[in-house]
Structures are given as structure tokens and as C-alpha cells.
Amino acid sequence: MSNSTNSDNIIETIDEHGQHVKFELVDIVEVDEVEYGLLYPIEGFDPAHPEKPGDKVIIMRLKKDGEDFIFEKIEDDEEFDKVADYVAEVTEAELAAENEEK
């Protein structure tokens, strides 16, 4: 995944430690009629500080609040696993389709 960002897709959230964290909104997927944002931490992964956002995509539930969207942490392991499995399946299918085109 590229580290380039589009400023229109930059999301800033506050983590559980009160730190402001910037993400690039990579995609929005829908699973069981619920929308989830796929967020890529702009800061990148630092192995010396694994507790910080890393070089991975974060999945968060999207909740509409008037005109705004709120990104919520997925607390339920079963819900998270279902969404992560869906994202993995779609990604694998897209990669397979790209390889067939080559």
C-alpha cells in the first residue's frame, strides 16, 4: 500500500490516549447493512513503538451524526472478525483479478 495521501480523504481522530491521529480514508465497505471505514495511518509503523498507529489498515464502524460521520472502534470481536474476513476476501479477489489481467 502506498504512503501517498489525498488531502480530501484525511481523517483526524483522537485515540484512547487522547492523542490526535491522522488517517487516510482508503475505502468504505458495507457488511450486514453497516458501513465501515478502512483507515490507513499516515504516520507509518514504528517497530520501536508498536502501540502507535502502524503500517496497517484500521477498520472502524461509521456512524452518521447529522452531516458528519463518526468513526467508532469495533468492540465486538465477532463483528470485527466478520468485517476483517470480508475485507480480506475482497482484497484477495481483486489481487487475483489483477494477476489474471497480466
Side-chain angles (χ1 to χ4, degrees), residues 8-14 23 25 27-30 33-39 60-73:
D8 293 340
N9 294 336
I10 302 301
I11 307 297
E12 186 170 334
T13 64
I14 299 173
F23 294 94
L25 177 62
D27 201 358
I28 295 175
V29 298
E30 186 175 317
E33 299 181 17
V34 177
E35 289 186 324
Y36 298 88
L38 305 181
L39 304 168
M60 297 185 84
R61 185 183 314 111
L62 279 174
K63 182 178 175 184
K64 184 120 171 122
D65 182 25
E67 294 290 317
D68 298 324
F69 283 98
I70 297 172
F71 291 86
E72 298 178 327
K73 182 177 180 181

Side-chain angles (χ1 to χ4, degrees), residues 40-99:
Y40 182 78
I42 294 174
E43 289 82 16
F45 181 68
D46 179 1
H49 298 93
E51 72 281 0
K52 291 188 177 184
D55 193 16
K56 57 188 171 190
V57 173
I58 307 297
I59 303 171
M60 297 185 84
R61 185 183 314 111
L62 279 174
K63 182 178 175 184
K64 184 120 171 122
D65 182 25
E67 294 290 317
D68 298 324
F69 283 98
I70 297 172
F71 291 86
E72 298 178 327
K73 182 177 180 181
I74 302 170
E75 300 289 342
D76 181 85
D77 289 342
E78 186 176 321
E79 177 185 4
F80 179 84
D81 290 343
K82 182 186 283 189
V83 178
D85 289 345
Y86 173 79
V87 171
E89 288 174 22
V90 169
T91 301
E92 287 176 20
E94 289 175 354
L95 289 173
E98 285 178 17
N99 287 334

